Amino acid sequence: MRKKLMLLMTGLMVIFILAACGSKSQEDVVNDLRSKQKDLSSYKVDAKMTLKMGTDSQVYEVEIWHKDPAYYRVNLKNPEKDQSQMILRNDQGVFVLTPALNKSFKFQSDWPQNSSQAYLYESLIKDILADKEAKFTETKGNYVFETKTRYQNNSMLPTQEIKLKKDLSPVSVKVMDPDRNALVTVEFEKVKFNAKFDKDDFDMKKNMTRAQIGMPAMAGSGEESLTVKYPALELKGAKLVDEKEISLENGERVVLTYDGKKSYTLVQEKVKAKEASTTIVEGNLVDLGFTIGAVSSHSMTWSHDGVDYMIASKNLTKEEMIEVAKSVQAEAVK
């Protein structure tokens, strides 16, 4: 009996030792991620991104391609609204393509290095490595980090939860507001490292052409009238005092004027799709979640659902313009 008991205790000790050997510390995982970052040469990722906007949510299909040293292709699609937009980085610069309008914007930007990007794997690694106070837990099949974000308006989305598989591939990301509500959720559905690419996979013209193949003929036609949207964000010191509708030769324009200490002008313009054009944009590229915009000291521009938007103000900060822009996509309230 005593011999059996000794064998049982020995077996339990072996199990505990093996279990301890299989568990990694936060430092171990961080070092593994640092090595993964150095060895990362290319990948293809399919993901689903959900944006919570007030009581509504919007879901986007996101296709991400990356190839060293700095080639990126991020395709955002909203199947319900039949919308798509693409961020492209190649040797010529950073482009935002709007296929429905046959339009591209070129940015003088160091994107994606200047901010957190919830759908870019190497950006998540960078966030983890940068936060020396990151929280770490290990579940049955995953490593979970809670880190600070590196967004320009960090106070609005200060923290994120990053979940990784034991092989360090991404599982999900939740970007949270100060009350820990997840406003942006990215679920990674397919991840392929060491992906192969053709020579023209990051070419701007080739990607514009490919994106337009199979696109509904009415997309961006401008035949539908402009639906005016109003910012849901109510800034103290900003009151709507004027609204002007202007008929253009090939579309419509609406100018909303907000007066007060936080005065600004919001311009909305819907034009028919035209021949391919590339516009050089001043300002920093900013990810609004539902679309990509450009923000400078006194203005901000973006396109969404076939409409061009611009905010101009000498009284709003960049962060305030970004928040106003985000709220324009909420349910219109006049």
Side-chain angles (χ1 to χ4, degrees):
M1 185 70 182
R2 182 177 295 178
K3 186 177 181 180
K4 288 183 178 180
L5 183 61
M6 288 294 292
L7 288 171
L8 178 62
M9 291 180 66
T10 302
L12 288 172
M13 288 179 66
V14 170
I15 291 172
F16 286 136
I17 291 170
L18 289 174
C21 291
S23 180
K24 288 192 174 184
S25 68
Q26 179 173 353
E27 184 179 1
D28 291 335
V29 178
V30 167
N31 287 333
D32 289 345
L33 284 170
R34 190 174 284 112
S35 298
K36 185 78 171 179
Q37 184 184 45
K38 291 178 180 178
D39 296 335
L40 192 64
S41 60
S42 65
Y43 62 76
K44 289 183 178 180
V45 171
D46 291 336
K48 181 177 75 173
M49 181 169 66
T50 304
L51 306 177
K52 188 175 181 182
M53 306 170 70
T55 57
D56 299 326
S57 293
Q58 293 191 36
V59 179
Y60 291 84
E61 296 174 357
V62 190
E63 182 184 52
I64 307 108
W65 293 358
H66 168 57
K67 179 184 177 183
D68 256 0
Y71 290 177
Y72 290 90
R73 177 185 178 276
V74 179
N75 198 19
L76 297 159
K77 294 182 180 179
N78 184 331
E80 289 185 5
K81 296 187 177 182
D82 208 6
Q83 300 168 2
S84 69
Q85 197 168 38
M86 185 183 295
I87 312 172
L88 196 69
R89 177 168 178 164
N90 55 31
D91 291 335
Q92 285 70 51
V94 177
F95 299 86
V96 174
L97 280 55
T98 306
L101 297 179
N102 208 17
K103 184 187 294 185
S104 62
F105 298 90
K106 183 178 181 181
F107 292 81
Q108 302 299 327
S109 172
D110 61 352
W111 181 91
Q113 306 302 325
N114 54 359
S115 177
S116 291
Q117 309 293 336
Y119 41 73
L120 295 184
Y121 178 60
E122 68 278 16
S123 179
L124 300 178
I125 295 179
K126 190 172 182 178
D127 291 342
I128 292 171
L129 299 182
D131 189 357
K132 303 305 179 184
E133 299 176 354
K135 297 178 182 177
F136 172 79
T137 55
E138 182 179 353
T139 63
K140 185 177 181 180
N142 301 305
Y143 300 124
V144 182
F145 286 89
E146 184 174 308
T147 77
K148 299 173 185 175
T149 63
R150 296 179 293 113
Y151 292 111
Q152 292 180 355
N153 54 333
N154 177 270
S155 61
M156 302 300 296
L157 296 169
T159 57
Q160 61 187 343
E161 179 190 274
I162 302 170
K163 188 177 292 186
L164 307 171
K165 291 182 181 179
K166 293 296 178 72
D167 66 0
L168 302 182
S169 59
V171 176
S172 65
V173 181
K174 293 180 180 180
V175 187
M176 297 174 283
D177 66 12
D179 296 322
R180 298 186 64 79
N181 298 308
L183 301 189
V184 181
T185 302
V186 179
E187 297 170 282
F188 296 90
E189 299 172 341
K190 185 179 179 181
V191 180
K192 182 180 180 181
F193 294 114
N194 300 316
K196 303 298 182 182
F197 294 101
D198 292 332
K199 186 177 180 180
D200 59 358
D201 278 345
F202 298 91
D203 179 80
M204 193 272 284
K205 292 182 179 179
K206 292 288 185 182
N207 276 285
M208 179 68 86
T209 301
R210 289 169 184 166
Q212 291 173 331
I213 295 174
M215 184 177 293
M218 65 174 291
S221 65
E223 294 176 3
E224 296 181 5
S225 60
L226 172 63
T227 300
V228 183
K229 292 189 176 181
Y230 305 83
L233 180 66
E234 297 181 2
L235 286 176
K236 290 183 179 180
K239 182 180 179 181
L240 180 62
V241 295
D242 190 33
E243 178 175 337
K244 290 182 179 179
E245 296 183 12
I246 303 170
S247 295
L248 305 174
E249 185 178 346
N250 63 338
E252 305 169 74
R253 179 186 296 156
V254 173
V255 181
L256 305 179
T257 302
Y258 288 79
D259 199 9
K261 292 183 178 179
K262 293 291 183 179
S263 64
Y264 64 92
T265 301
L266 172 60
V267 180
Q268 305 173 46
E269 186 172 300
K270 187 177 183 70
V271 297
K272 295 179 181 178
K274 50 188 177 182
E275 291 185 7
S277 63
T278 299
T279 303
I280 305 297
V281 179
E282 293 184 4
N284 296 318
L285 185 150
V286 58
D287 190 344
L288 298 175
F290 57 87
T291 191
I292 307 301
V295 62
S296 60
S297 298
H298 300 298
S299 68
M300 180 167 184
T301 59
W302 72 98
S303 296
H304 186 244
D305 200 12
V307 179
D308 292 337
Y309 296 86
M310 183 185 74
I311 294 173
S313 176
K314 292 184 179 180
N315 297 323
L316 297 185
T317 64
K318 289 182 180 180
E319 289 74 18
E320 287 171 332
M321 285 191 286
I322 290 171
E323 292 311 308
V324 171
K326 286 182 176 180
S327 76
V328 170
Q329 301 308 319
E331 183 179 351
V333 179
K334 191 172 180 179

